[in-house]
Amino acid sequence: MTRVAITGSGLFTPAESISNDELVACYNAYAERENSRHAEAIAAGTAQPLPLSSSEFIVKASGIKSRYVVDKAGVLDIDFMRPRIRTRGNDEPSLMAEMGAAAARQALATAGRDPSEVDFIICAASNLQRPYPAVAVELQQLLGAGGFAYDMNVACASAAFGIQSAVDAVRLGNAKCALVINPEICSGHLNWRNRDCHFIFGDAATAVVIEPLHGAKSRDAFEVMGTRLKTQFSNNIRNNFGFLNASEIEARPWNDVLFQQEGRKVFKEVVPMVSELLLGHLAALGIAPESVKRFWLHQANLSMNQFIARKVLGRDATETEAPVILDEYANTSSAGCIIAFHKHHADLAAGELGLLSGFGAGYSAGSAILRKL
Ligand code: CO8
């Protein structure tokens, strides 16, 4: 069977960043204004005051210190509290495709490939800008690629699922040069007025090039030793946004069509699910966990990653072994593990092993075991 490699990665980071202090100042100003507006009802016990947020809590509970966003002014405007995105005409590139194309061009440059050599694109992300035409097909046109393209949504595990599909296609000869692109505009889908989750997400786009190992031009490539996926239904991370919202007889509250989660339950249930997946995958390939030099894990929560790495390694992982990017980027959904890979792979020596894993809503989890060439 054809041996397959990841031959390049790319990252697009929005220009603007929001610190925890800026975010908390905005949320608290909003909460205090709402509380004073409803002071009488709160005093009468018929309404609950909105709780205040704190930077200390955010760092302690999640490890997040800042996040990049596509529009800082809109998110920090207490009368708006979401990104303000210019409505583009049908003849203009969509924001998501533009971000994805920037990451893809960087990945292709590393792989030493021209966009015209690409014959398969998966746009894999938690949220897609529209149902159709597929953002992936728009990306195909923007980049000047050939072949075929489609969209895929497996929440925060989208990149891992996209990688398996692309690897399979290349292995079977259905594609020669595939791109998995993850443009994540999480700021548009986050409830910035909810104290319990307003700090969680940020925006970014990533891309990887996947092609046969034989003939690869890249000097920065990793052979894909194997991929493995798992899903298990859960309502603990959910949003009810969808095309039937307008037809539903009872209108949903505005916050029901945004991200919502039971964070504690997610933490408790996803840690064992992911650890078992990773241990099982390593065992199936006959790889001892301690021989894995790098863990590029989904970047949702620092302690969650520390728990997973500890369960897999049987000891605490160092920051070199399990690099952290969520302090700077927050949770960028599917892009997180690829950002970790993109920024923290250059020092691995030929023959060394790394493990990439994305996990999240669904629940869904995926792993790819990689060997530096
Ligand atoms: N400031 C101050 N205090 C707070 C705050 C805040 N901002 N938020 C909560 N608190 C308080 C609570 O009220 C509670 O107080 P008390 O003890 O008095 O009741 C206390 O702090 C503890 O609250 P929690 O139990 O909620 O806090 P946790 O320690 O569990 O931390 C986390 C919350 C950080 C959310 C944590 O549970 C977590 O990260 N869990 C894992 C979540 C996760 O991995 N989710 C993945 C989802 S992403 C995904 O799959 C993609 C979905 C699609 C993306 C869409 C883009 C938007």
Side-chain angles (χ1 to χ4, degrees), residues 53-54 57 126 156 186 189 195-196 261 263-264 300-301 331 360-361:
S53 187
S54 88
F57 171 85
S126 271
C156 293
C186 300
H189 207 187
R195 190 275 308 247
D196 293 358
Q261 75 165 354
R264 275 278 152 109
N301 181 293
N331 181 347

Side-chain angles (χ1 to χ4, degrees), residues 52-54 57-58 61-62 126-127 155-156 186 189-190 195-196 198-201 237 259 261 263-264 266-267 300-301 304 331 333 360-361:
L52 296 186
S53 187
S54 88
F57 171 85
I58 294 170
S62 69
S126 271
N127 293 291
C156 293
C186 300
H189 207 187
L190 177 57
R195 190 275 308 247
D196 293 358
H198 76 121
F199 54 88
I200 291 181
F201 289 101
I237 313 169
F259 169 85
Q261 75 165 354
R264 275 278 152 109
V266 174
F267 199 109
N301 181 293
M304 200 172 184
N331 181 347
S333 194

